[in-house]
Amino acid sequence: MTKTRSHVSMTVGVSVLLTAGLGITAFTLNDPATAHVSQQLPAVPARSAPQQGSPTSMVNPVASKAQVKAMTADWKGARLPDGRPKVSDAILKRMEVVSTEQAWGYLEGKGYHNQFAGEWKTIHDNKAIIGRALTAQYMPNNPALEKRMTDAGHAAGHDGQMNTWPIEMLKKGDVYVADGFGKVEDGTLIGGNLGSEIYAKTGTGVVFDGTVRDLDELAEIKGFNAFVRGFHPSYIKDEMLTGANTTIRIGEAVVMPGDVVLAKREGVVFIPAQLAEDLVKDAEVTLLRDMFTKQRLAEGTYTAGELDKGWDEIDQKIKDDFIGWLKEKKNDLPVPPERVQEIIDGSN
């Protein structure tokens, strides 16, 4: 069969991209004639990885595993296959007792002043979202750039619409966090179908500086929630994905791949992975002290004046009483018993 000139040119062009080691992820396809190119081209091993800042790396919207690891170098623990820090499921579970104020205050004390974003609309007001961030950045459409990313992405084996790629990357415990530059009309990143797929993959929800559609359908997905800028019946239009698994901005907050997302009624805190465990431990101590203080005040054991101090200034007899209270209630507190025992042991 004789190939047309355009077909040959396209095949050669994409082959050159593959040979150069270009790993493009793309998200829309406006020319159906290019859809089958990746199926006809054999895989060509890359001669060398693109250098940071080279033209090929500049047009690749998806950060490589090496780039993700470099961005999150402070994390020393396990990582997901795509390079993101893997904060443990146990820490994510324990994060449920952390309040927005505790998280914000702890991060402020560590010098992280840009980790909170507020003023959200939610599907369910009292349903928190907690998980590991998978980030995506959208920008207004640039047809030429989008086509280059699309052609190369399809040649690399990717398919589907722009807003499906981050969803395909999601794992259990992830939260899809997207910078949709606050676009409302024509900025609906997901609807009912994609919302169902997201929840099936993650068991959590989404945080979008953008909008969603099909509110009634999304509300019927048991366990799913969305923190968004609004709801709109339109379809996504004139947007392109320019980054995935990279650093993004949500409102006034900086979000990195693998950050722990703590989304509650007051707003969303993005917790750097390397600080998550210590933050939880600090919040657990604060929670237990607050529970103890409220119980003793209700019982009339101490006056407000005796307890309304910083913990370091409280009398030793009250601190000893607190440890005795922990021993008595160790298995009935909203903190794992082994963590309660750790607090007890640390008091000696």
Side-chain angles (χ1 to χ4, degrees):
M1 177 178 176
T2 303
K3 297 182 180 179
T4 65
R5 181 178 180 182
S6 61
H7 189 177
V8 172
S9 176
M10 182 176 298
T11 302
V12 172
V14 177
S15 297
V16 170
L17 288 174
L18 288 170
T19 303
L22 180 59
I24 301 291
T25 302
F27 304 86
T28 62
L29 182 65
N30 297 324
D31 182 0
T34 65
H36 59 287
V37 171
S38 62
Q39 299 172 5
Q40 296 186 353
L41 290 175
V44 179
R47 294 179 181 175
S48 61
Q51 296 298 311
Q52 186 70 24
S54 69
T56 53
S57 65
M58 291 296 288
V59 297
N60 185 355
V62 179
S64 68
K65 183 175 181 178
Q67 288 171 323
V68 174
K69 292 176 71 174
M71 279 185 280
T72 58
D74 291 324
W75 171 257
K76 306 304 180 184
R79 291 182 179 269
L80 293 161
D82 60 11
R84 284 180 296 143
K86 186 180 181 181
V87 175
S88 71
D89 292 340
I91 292 298
L92 295 181
K93 177 66 177 176
R94 288 164 61 185
M95 192 70 67
E96 293 175 2
V97 304
V98 179
S99 71
T100 304
E101 290 78 12
Q102 288 171 329
W104 179 85
Y106 182 87
L107 296 176
E108 282 283 313
K110 295 294 183 180
Y112 287 78
H113 307 305
N114 303 293
Q115 303 303 130
F116 175 79
E119 303 298 326
W120 299 97
K121 294 183 179 180
T122 61
I123 296 175
H124 304 290
D125 290 341
N126 296 313
K127 170 63 178 175
I129 300 176
I130 299 173
R132 309 174 193 92
L134 188 144
T135 59
Q137 181 185 58
Y138 291 86
M139 288 189 181
N141 176 260
N142 177 304
L145 177 58
E146 182 183 11
K147 188 175 187 308
R148 284 195 294 274
M149 292 190 296
T150 298
D151 290 347
H154 277 270
H158 305 295
D159 56 19
Q161 295 296 319
M162 159 197 280
N163 58 331
T164 66
W165 285 104
I167 296 171
E168 292 184 3
M169 298 166 63
L170 292 168
K171 306 294 183 185
K172 204 69 175 177
D174 285 348
V175 178
Y176 179 18
V177 182
D179 174 10
F181 56 96
K183 188 177 182 182
V184 177
E185 184 174 356
D186 300 331
T188 52
L189 296 178
I190 65 167
N193 291 338
L194 293 181
S196 295
E197 184 177 356
I198 289 169
Y199 187 72
K201 285 177 172 287
T202 67
T204 60
V206 302
V207 176
F208 290 163
D209 190 0
T211 50
V212 299
R213 66 192 310 272
D214 301 333
L215 177 57
D216 287 344
E217 292 181 32
L218 293 173
E220 292 175 357
I221 304 172
K222 188 175 181 180
F224 177 85
N225 202 5
F227 284 63
V228 297
R229 296 308 183 192
F231 305 97
H232 202 277
S234 58
Y235 293 97
I236 187 170
K237 181 181 177 183
D238 293 331
E239 285 191 35
M240 62 180 184
L241 186 89
T242 55
N245 254 359
T246 188
T247 305
I248 64 172
R249 190 187 83 169
I250 298 292
E252 298 178 353
V254 176
V255 191
M256 298 182 70
D259 279 0
V260 173
V261 178
L262 180 67
K264 295 191 170 183
R265 286 195 300 172
E266 299 93 334
V268 185
V269 184
F270 301 99
I271 303 161
Q274 72 272 13
L275 299 179
E277 183 172 359
D278 287 344
L279 185 157
V280 166
K281 288 182 175 181
D282 183 80
E284 287 171 339
V285 172
T286 300
L287 171 66
L288 294 174
R289 288 174 178 173
D290 286 348
M291 291 178 64
F292 166 79
T293 297
K294 289 174 182 176
Q295 180 176 327
R296 290 297 189 252
L297 285 173
E299 294 168 346
T301 305
Y302 307 112
T303 66
E306 290 177 294
L307 293 175
D308 189 21
K309 305 174 182 178
W311 192 258
D312 291 340
E313 286 74 46
I314 286 179
D315 293 342
Q316 187 61 45
K317 68 173 184 177
I318 298 177
K319 295 179 181 179
D320 292 340
D321 187 19
F322 172 63
I323 298 303
W325 180 84
L326 290 178
K327 292 178 180 178
E328 176 187 349
K329 296 182 174 294
K330 183 170 73 171
N331 296 314
D332 301 313
L333 296 169
V335 173
E338 58 272 19
R339 172 59 181 148
V340 177
Q341 187 61 51
E342 185 178 286
I343 296 169
I344 295 170
D345 295 341
S347 69
N348 298 327

